[in-house]
Amino acid sequence: ASYAPAVRLATPAVVNIYANSIVTERPLVVPENMRHLFPGAFGLGAPRQRLNQALGSGVIVSADGYILTTFHVVAQASDIQVALSDGRVTQARVVGSDRDTDLAVLKIEASQLPAARFADEDALQVGDVVLAIGNPFGIGQRVTMGIVSAVGNNRLNLLTYDDFIQTDAAINDGNSGGALVNAAGELVGINTAVFRLGEGIGFAIPAHAARRVLEQILAQGHVTRGWLGLDYRDLPGTRNGAGSQTSAPRGVQVAQVFLDYPGA
């Protein structure tokens, strides 16, 4: 089997992102009795500024130049360059961002842009083949393959709103913001993180959640959410009088109520 058709469909919409920011470094002040260990480092001096470049990826989601990427790639960037798959390089601006889901929306001005095709919201299953596309370590666009290991990971404490796809497709530095696509080349997630303590454990933000963030940012410049003041857990399987387990329990179990908030 070959996934070349899926790759040909998906890769034109995946871009490389180079986000530049100015970092201010304070001079190292060394005690008198240790200056012989740090020649040239003593003295107050003036703060030194240097250019820091973050590498990442992004996904073109509309033909008029809107791009989804991760917030941590472009956070505090003063200059963002986007390299398209056809070799063009253009400047991008941040339209809006959502730190709670680690997503940001960029805009570029260019013509004849390919846009990613979103997969159906409820189609993804554990065991599905997925491809991760991005710019690992800045070496250029690369594709890795794996399967969906889990969906609905919501107890990782990586973000305020955890809801991750887990995959064993290789995700490395520079892949953040890139595409996770299914075997048909349709977008199912935005790659965001990797679990450093284990091999083959990467995470992506579901594409349907990213699309809702995108729509709100384009409509009003930010994301609006309700706040109940409740903590909850998934509802355990309920049983009827005969002792058999129902197939689809509804709702969640309230685990904590925060005082003086709407839920109280």
Side-chain angles (χ1 to χ4, degrees):
S2 173
Y3 299 104
V7 172
R8 284 195 295 269
L9 177 65
T11 52
V14 182
V15 301
N16 300 341
I17 294 176
Y18 305 90
N20 300 314
S21 58
I22 302 298
V23 177
T24 300
E25 294 179 333
R26 299 293 176 183
L28 178 63
V29 179
V30 181
E32 183 76 29
N33 61 348
M34 297 182 62
R35 290 183 178 178
H36 65 284
L37 300 175
F38 301 91
F42 58 88
L44 293 176
R48 184 177 63 181
Q49 292 185 327
R50 64 175 178 83
L51 180 66
N52 181 66
Q53 185 175 77
L55 298 174
S57 304
V59 183
I60 302 172
V61 290
S62 70
D64 52 351
Y66 288 102
I67 295 173
L68 268 173
T69 186
T70 46
F71 170 77
H72 71 265
V73 167
V74 297
Q76 300 179 337
S78 56
D79 177 69
I80 302 172
Q81 300 292 325
V82 171
L84 307 182
S85 61
D86 60 10
R88 288 181 290 174
V89 178
T90 184
Q91 195 160 23
R93 61 180 176 87
V94 177
V95 177
S97 60
D98 182 44
R99 184 189 298 267
D100 291 333
T101 55
D102 193 31
L103 289 168
V105 178
L106 309 181
K107 180 70 167 66
I108 60 173
E109 303 299 332
S111 59
Q112 297 181 321
L113 293 173
R117 181 188 303 170
F118 283 82
D120 292 340
E121 180 170 338
D122 299 321
L124 195 67
Q125 303 178 78
V126 173
D128 284 353
V129 170
V130 285
L131 309 171
I133 308 172
N135 179 25
F137 304 110
I139 61 175
Q141 193 175 89
R142 299 291 186 268
V143 182
T144 57
M145 186 198 76
I147 64 167
V148 175
S149 306
V151 294
N153 282 279
N154 58 4
R155 289 292 183 265
L156 299 175
N157 295 320
L158 295 178
L159 299 172
T160 304
Y161 299 98
D162 278 358
D163 179 21
F164 291 109
I165 301 165
Q166 182 180 325
T167 179
D168 63 349
I171 296 174
N172 296 290
D173 293 341
N175 276 104
S176 288
L180 189 71
V181 303
N182 60 21
E186 299 167 325
L187 187 69
V188 297
I190 302 295
N191 301 321
T192 186
V194 62
F195 193 60
R196 297 294 184 187
L197 299 180
E199 196 169 323
I201 304 178
F203 300 102
I205 303 160
H208 61 85
R211 180 155 56 179
R212 286 195 283 268
V213 170
L214 169 70
E215 290 169 350
Q216 287 209 49
I217 288 176
L218 294 185
Q220 59 192 25
H222 61 274
V223 177
T224 301
R225 295 185 177 90
W227 169 247
L228 291 178
L230 303 175
D231 193 12
Y232 68 91
R233 61 174 63 97
D234 292 336
L235 188 68
T238 57
R239 297 182 179 275
N240 61 25
S244 62
Q245 189 169 4
T246 61
S247 60
R250 296 175 61 83
V252 294
Q253 184 178 40
V254 176
Q256 186 178 4
V257 180
F258 298 97
L259 295 178
D260 300 324
Y261 283 103

